Amino acid sequence: MGKLKLGACGGLLVGLLVILGACDPQRVSKLEEGVSTEVEVRQQFGDPVTLTVGPDGTKTLDYPRQPEGWTNYVIQIGPDGKMSSLRQLLTADNFARVQPGLGQQEVRKLLGRPAQQQRFDLKKEEVWDWRFKLGQESKLFSVTFNTEGKVTATGVGDDPRETMSGAK
């Protein structure tokens, strides 16, 4: 019975995360670059997963929606306390920037936190995956790294969560 309860709670949590992710466009529409303050950003998005402060006082707030969502947001707050940019990182342009030889930190900066990271010791590689939407289709962008942490390959495929369940 305990397992069933945990499974139900896990399903509820996944459902809640999907609902919260669906609210992001509404949250984004309530914010305006150069006008909205950090307080307003936090009212809409909550506390960031990570917060980085640059030498000039610029704050970078990370709001990854992985592993259950299909977006990763980065919001910058200028030294004046106003939102200077709001970007969704999982875009075709950013995927195209991931080229062989790029390091893991550079990829993380381009795409944000991955949904999943797997090591394959026998193949001497690591694969990171990000979930994203292409129209209405759920996809997976994968990046393969060698033992030095450099990109060796990228690929796009169907999100196995969608194909395994038969949902589309």
Side-chain angles (χ1 to χ4, degrees), residues 37-97:
T37 65
E38 180 178 353
V39 169
E40 293 168 318
V41 167
R42 287 175 181 256
Q43 285 173 343
Q44 294 304 316
F45 280 85
D47 290 331
V49 171
T50 57
L51 173 107
T52 308
V53 181
D56 67 349
T58 297
K59 294 180 182 178
T60 302
L61 292 72
D62 291 311
Y63 293 97
R65 299 305 195 221
Q66 305 287 306
E68 297 305 325
W70 294 276
T71 58
N72 278 343
Y73 290 98
V74 170
I75 300 173
Q76 288 198 322
I77 307 295
D80 62 354
K82 306 274 182 171
M83 182 179 80
S84 57
S85 73
L86 186 156
R87 295 182 329 218
Q88 201 293 86
L89 299 177
L90 303 180
T91 65
D93 285 343
N94 280 351
F95 294 150
R97 288 186 180 105

Side-chain angles (χ1 to χ4, degrees), residues 5-148:
K5 262 185 148 176
L6 286 173
C9 288
L12 181 61
L13 179 60
V14 169
L16 185 58
L17 288 171
V18 169
I19 289 169
L20 288 175
C23 295
D24 282 342
Q26 293 171 350
R27 291 182 178 131
V28 169
S29 71
K30 293 179 181 178
L31 300 172
E32 186 177 343
E33 289 183 5
V35 176
S36 298
T37 65
E38 180 178 353
V39 169
E40 293 168 318
V41 167
R42 287 175 181 256
Q43 285 173 343
Q44 294 304 316
F45 280 85
D47 290 331
V49 171
T50 57
L51 173 107
T52 308
V53 181
D56 67 349
T58 297
K59 294 180 182 178
T60 302
L61 292 72
D62 291 311
Y63 293 97
R65 299 305 195 221
Q66 305 287 306
E68 297 305 325
W70 294 276
T71 58
N72 278 343
Y73 290 98
V74 170
I75 300 173
Q76 288 198 322
I77 307 295
D80 62 354
K82 306 274 182 171
M83 182 179 80
S84 57
S85 73
L86 186 156
R87 295 182 329 218
Q88 201 293 86
L89 299 177
L90 303 180
T91 65
D93 285 343
N94 280 351
F95 294 150
R97 288 186 180 105
V98 180
Q99 296 291 318
L102 208 60
Q104 288 178 332
Q105 287 301 97
E106 296 163 299
V107 172
R108 183 79 182 251
K109 188 173 181 176
L110 274 174
L111 304 178
R113 182 174 71 189
Q116 173 177 292
Q117 295 172 255
Q118 295 180 307
R119 283 182 50 146
F120 299 97
D121 291 329
L122 293 176
K123 294 176 89 177
K124 297 182 180 176
E125 62 186 27
E126 188 170 346
V127 178
W128 294 4
D129 297 322
W130 288 263
R131 290 186 165 85
F132 72 102
K133 289 283 191 178
L134 184 61
Q136 295 299 313
E137 295 182 35
S138 299
K139 298 288 186 180
L140 211 59
F141 181 75
S142 299
V143 179
T144 303
F145 298 94
N146 62 19
T147 55
E148 288 81 41

Side-chain angles (χ1 to χ4, degrees), residues 149-165:
K150 301 294 184 183
V151 173
T152 59
T154 64
V156 175
D158 292 331
D159 185 341
R161 295 181 310 177
E162 301 291 322
T163 55
M164 290 176 77
S165 67

